[in-house]
């Protein structure tokens, strides 16, 4: 079995998250009970697994906000600091405590911090965070979650806004949910009501009409990365990948319950 990357879900604490995103994918996919002790116990086995699976990069995330569990975050970063290391966040904790966290991130040799935002002005508000991370050699990636809030914005303006405010990588993300999601779920209902995919399609069309240079293309995910005046830009049609090949796994998931899975969408994908 081969895998492209390992995703580690930091155990949630109270509160699970400090931002109430109405489209939260974590509220749609299945939940498990956090077990930090088992996670720590299985660390050596997980590191052996990714070695034989050919994993080269580590993504740290959470079913909540990973920076709220600073103790476990520090442990995981130090354990995997020799890998290409990325952390996902809503950015609120870094905005409030960047001077405390930047030292922690640097010590953990973090390469990329990926910020999930849903309003264009969030990029402006986080600009000082991007600058501070850059001082320590850490790349800021912004994931724009495209909802109806973007209906009056144009792709060129969004890309320029990212560039002038210190973003190095920009991702336009289509908000959706797994095919087997509960239609009565609160977040699913919100997405159905507030996400017009035509806005995402329009933004993508505008970018394609600019004929930007292609930097790289990943055939497995059909993802193309473009060059907009020195920053990378790409589009993602999904929030999570539902299917994996039998022999080649896109992502191994080290969940907060201490077990390893191959899918966010079902506990049946458990490995050990």
């Amino acid at each position: 079995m081969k895998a492209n990357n390992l995703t580690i879900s930091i155990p949630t604490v109270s509160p699970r998250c400090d931002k109430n995103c109405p489209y939260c994918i974590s509220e749609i996919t299945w939940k498990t009970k956090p077990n930090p002790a088992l996670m720590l116990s299985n660390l050596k086995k997980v590191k052996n697994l990714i070695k034989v699976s050919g994993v080269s990069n580590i993504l740290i995330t959470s079913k909540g906000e990973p920076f709220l569990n600073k103790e476990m975050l520090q442990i995981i970063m130090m354990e995997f600091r020799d890998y290409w290391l990325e952390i996902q966040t809503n950015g609120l904790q870094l905005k409030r405590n960047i001077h405390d966290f930047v030292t922690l991130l640097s010590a953990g040799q973090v390469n990329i911090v990926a910020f999930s935002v849903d309003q264009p002005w969030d990029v402006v508000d986080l600009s000082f965070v991007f600058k501070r991370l850059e001082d320590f050699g850490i790349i800021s990636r912004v994931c724009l979650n495209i909802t109806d809030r973007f209906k009056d914005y144009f792709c060129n303006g969004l890309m320029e806004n990212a560039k002038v405010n210190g973003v190095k990588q920009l991702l336009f993300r289509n908000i959706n949910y797994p095919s087997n999601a509960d239609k009565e779920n609160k977040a699913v209902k919100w997405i159905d009501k507030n996400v017009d995919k035509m806005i995402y399609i329009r933004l993508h069309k505008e970018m394609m009409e600019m004929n930007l240079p292609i930097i790289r293309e990943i055939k497995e995910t059909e993802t193309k990365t473009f060059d907009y005046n020195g920053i990378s830009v790409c589009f993602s049609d999904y929030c999570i990948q539902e299917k994996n090949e039998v022999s080649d796994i896109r992502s191994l998931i080290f969940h907060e319950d201490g077990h390893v899975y191959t899918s966010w969408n079902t506990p049946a994908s458990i490995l050990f």
Side-chain angles (χ1 to χ4, degrees):
M1 181 181 68
K2 297 295 182 182
N4 292 333
N5 73 292
L6 171 71
T7 299
I8 302 174
S9 185
I10 297 292
T12 52
V13 293
S14 184
R16 291 176 61 90
C17 188
D18 50 356
K19 185 177 180 181
N20 186 29
C21 298
Y23 52 82
C24 182
I25 192 67
S26 292
E27 295 302 320
I28 300 174
T29 52
W30 64 279
K31 298 182 180 67
T32 186
K33 184 178 180 180
N35 190 338
L38 185 58
M39 282 196 79
L40 295 177
S41 176
N42 276 338
L43 267 175
K44 186 174 181 180
K45 292 180 180 179
V46 170
K47 293 176 81 171
N48 287 335
L49 173 63
I50 64 175
K51 184 176 181 180
V52 299
S53 299
V55 167
S56 60
N57 60 297
I58 309 294
L59 172 63
I60 300 176
T61 187
S62 178
K63 295 288 279 187
E65 167 54 44
F67 281 95
L68 288 173
N69 191 345
K70 184 177 179 180
E71 181 179 359
M72 181 60 82
L73 178 61
Q74 183 174 16
I75 292 172
I76 295 299
M77 284 192 302
M78 297 305 292
E79 285 288 338
F80 294 92
R81 63 186 182 277
D82 292 333
Y83 288 83
W84 171 4
L85 192 58
E86 175 183 338
I87 299 178
Q88 291 182 333
T89 178
N90 62 36
L92 293 183
Q93 286 299 306
L94 291 179
K95 185 177 176 181
R96 296 170 184 143
N97 306 290
I98 184 57
H99 298 299
D100 293 335
F101 280 115
V102 74
T103 303
L104 178 68
L105 294 170
S106 180
Q109 299 182 29
V110 172
N111 302 105
I112 299 172
V113 178
F115 297 83
S116 179
V117 305
D118 50 28
Q119 300 173 113
W121 50 88
D122 288 339
V123 176
V124 179
D125 292 341
L126 287 165
S127 60
F128 75 96
V129 176
F130 305 150
K131 178 62 172 66
R132 189 61 175 154
L133 292 175
E134 184 179 9
D135 290 340
F136 283 78
I138 300 172
I139 295 170
S140 293
R141 175 186 298 146
V142 164
C143 303
L144 295 178
N145 297 303
I146 306 301
T147 66
D148 289 5
R149 297 171 181 173
F150 286 83
K151 64 181 180 180
D152 296 325
Y153 291 86
F154 297 96
C155 188
N156 184 63
L158 293 170
M159 292 189 295
E160 185 63 24
N161 182 51
K163 177 177 173 57
V164 299
N165 284 291
V167 176
K168 301 300 182 184
Q169 299 177 338
L170 182 64
L171 171 66
F172 290 80
R173 176 178 287 155
N174 178 41
I175 298 299
N176 51 27
Y177 48 79
S179 58
N180 65 345
D182 179 6
K183 292 293 185 177
E184 296 303 312
N185 180 279
K186 183 179 178 180
V188 170
K189 286 184 174 181
W190 190 95
I191 292 172
D192 284 340
K193 182 179 179 180
N194 296 278
V195 175
D196 180 358
K197 190 174 181 179
M198 294 307 298
I199 299 174
Y200 173 86
I201 292 173
R202 172 182 61 80
L203 292 169
H204 183 262
K205 180 180 178 182
E206 291 172 0
M207 194 269 302
M208 293 300 293
E209 289 175 348
M210 295 175 67
N211 292 316
L212 299 176
I214 298 178
I215 301 172
R216 54 184 169 267
E217 180 177 359
I218 302 175
K219 294 182 178 180
E220 290 79 5
T221 58
E222 299 181 351
T223 302
K224 293 181 180 179
T225 302
F226 298 85
D227 179 352
Y228 174 80
N229 294 334
I231 70 170
S232 69
V233 178
C234 61
F235 281 70
S236 176
D237 290 339
Y238 52 82
C239 289
I240 64 170
Q241 181 165 313
E242 295 191 59
K243 298 179 180 179
N244 277 310
E245 297 297 329
V246 175
S247 58
D248 295 315
I249 308 299
R250 177 170 178 257
S251 180
L252 295 168
I253 301 164
F254 188 21
H255 223 313
E256 61 180 347
D257 63 354
H259 296 289
V260 176
Y261 301 81
T262 59
S263 172
W264 287 104
N265 209 29
T266 172
S269 67
I270 191 169
L271 291 179
F272 67 83

